């Protein structure tokens, strides 16, 4: 006989397949999404490969406790491309341009992967006033694609910021802040990650 938690897991696996289809997310066989996931924004192009597992808060993964995962696309042109055999635990994926995740990637609990600054850096622009550097053509929000190549393992609580490529077979230590690209076959950690 299944426990209450087991029944809840079965329910959400079925519910999320229907929910992802409703949200026009394309996915391969064996989609496993446990608990509620926030899917927000402009419904950009989201494609997920086969054997995808996403745990989302509510004690499903003890590292994540009650932090719900989220997938956000800023624009209708935003792209999230996820390969096969990818596991993600209660992460926030926030994409303005493009996020590409390869095959056999594991992303630890509570990671935040953002290809955009979300807000302007200039405080006047954030207020909705004329920017301090009015002649600066880049007063808007900055963004650049993120690539996470095959066989990467990202530890828990890691922000991955815009313009980063993490090379194949690399490991990112827990709590690292990834602001610059990491070469293939590396172990990198720290604030900033290197």
């Amino acid at each position: 006989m299944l426990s209450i938690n087991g029944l809840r897991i079965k329910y959400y696996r079925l519910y999320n397949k229907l929910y992802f289809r409703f949200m026009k997310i394309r996915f391969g066989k064996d989609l496993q999404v446990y608990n509620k996931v926030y899917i927000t924004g402009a419904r950009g192009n989201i494609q997920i490969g086969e054997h995808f597992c996403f745990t989302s808060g509510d004690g499903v993964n003890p590292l994540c406790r009650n932090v719900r995962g989220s997938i956000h696309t800023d624009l209708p042109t935003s792209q999230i491309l996820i390969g096969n055999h990818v596991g993600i635990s209660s992460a926030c994926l926030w994409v303005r341009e493009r996020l590409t995740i390869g095959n056999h990637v594991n992303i630890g609990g509570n990671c935040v992967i953002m290809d955009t600054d979300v807000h302007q850096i200039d405080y006047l622009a954030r207020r909705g006033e004329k920017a301090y550097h009015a002649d600066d053509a880049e007063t808007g929000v900055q963004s650049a694609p993120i690539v996470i190549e095959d066989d990467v393992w990202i530890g828990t609580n890691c922000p991955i910021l815009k313009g980063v490529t993490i090379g194949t077979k690399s490991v990112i230590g827990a709590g690292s802040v990834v602001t610059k690209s990491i070469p293939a076959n590396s172990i990198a950690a720290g604030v900033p990650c290197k």
Side-chain angles (χ1 to χ4, degrees), residues 94-107:
W94 188 309
V95 177
R96 185 174 185 83
E97 288 186 28
R98 185 175 60 256
L99 167 63
T100 305
I101 299 174
N103 299 312
H104 300 280
V105 171
N106 291 304
I107 299 173

Side-chain angles (χ1 to χ4, degrees), residues 3-13 35 57-60:
S3 67
I4 297 294
N5 197 38
L7 287 171
R8 186 171 51 89
I9 286 170
K10 280 181 144 321
Y11 165 77
Y12 272 108
R13 281 184 68 183
N35 208 7
D58 205 19
V60 177

Side-chain angles (χ1 to χ4, degrees), residues 3-193:
S3 67
I4 297 294
N5 197 38
L7 287 171
R8 186 171 51 89
I9 286 170
K10 280 181 144 321
Y11 165 77
Y12 272 108
R13 281 184 68 183
L14 177 60
Y15 170 83
N16 282 313
K17 284 181 182 178
L18 297 172
Y19 180 52
F20 276 44
R21 280 193 183 110
F22 175 76
M23 297 301 284
K24 299 193 178 351
I25 296 173
R26 293 189 295 276
F27 57 89
K29 69 179 179 182
D30 196 29
L31 178 81
Q32 300 175 48
V33 180
Y34 301 112
N35 208 7
K36 184 174 181 177
V37 175
Y38 297 116
I39 299 174
T40 60
R43 292 194 192 186
N45 177 17
I46 303 173
Q47 297 178 43
I48 299 170
E50 298 181 350
H51 308 289
F52 177 70
C53 181
F54 193 112
T55 59
S56 180
D58 205 19
V60 177
N61 178 337
L63 288 173
C64 306
R65 296 170 307 282
N66 291 316
V67 177
R68 290 227 173 123
S70 62
I71 300 171
H72 176 85
T73 51
D74 268 354
L75 305 169
T77 56
S78 303
Q79 287 188 317
I80 299 175
L81 308 170
I82 300 174
N84 300 318
H85 300 278
V86 172
I88 300 175
S89 296
S90 289
C92 171
L93 311 179
W94 188 309
V95 177
R96 185 174 185 83
E97 288 186 28
R98 185 175 60 256
L99 167 63
T100 305
I101 299 174
N103 299 312
H104 300 280
V105 171
N106 291 304
I107 299 173
N110 306 322
C111 289
V112 177
I113 302 173
M114 300 174 62
D115 78 342
T116 178
D117 289 335
V118 182
H119 301 288
Q120 291 91 348
I121 292 174
D122 187 303
Y123 75 97
L124 291 172
R126 288 194 308 271
R127 290 183 185 176
E129 299 174 16
K130 185 176 178 184
Y132 182 72
H133 297 288
D135 58 338
D136 185 357
E138 296 297 330
T139 56
V141 174
Q142 302 295 305
S143 58
I146 294 173
V147 177
I148 300 171
E149 295 181 349
D150 294 347
D151 296 296
V152 168
W153 175 25
I154 300 172
T156 188
N157 294 313
C158 290
I160 312 293
L161 303 181
K162 68 181 186 291
V164 164
T165 294
I166 300 176
T168 185
K169 301 181 196 132
S170 288
V171 176
I172 305 299
S176 298
V177 178
V178 186
T179 60
K180 297 194 186 310
S181 294
I182 303 298
N185 301 300
S186 298
I187 297 176
V191 181
C193 186

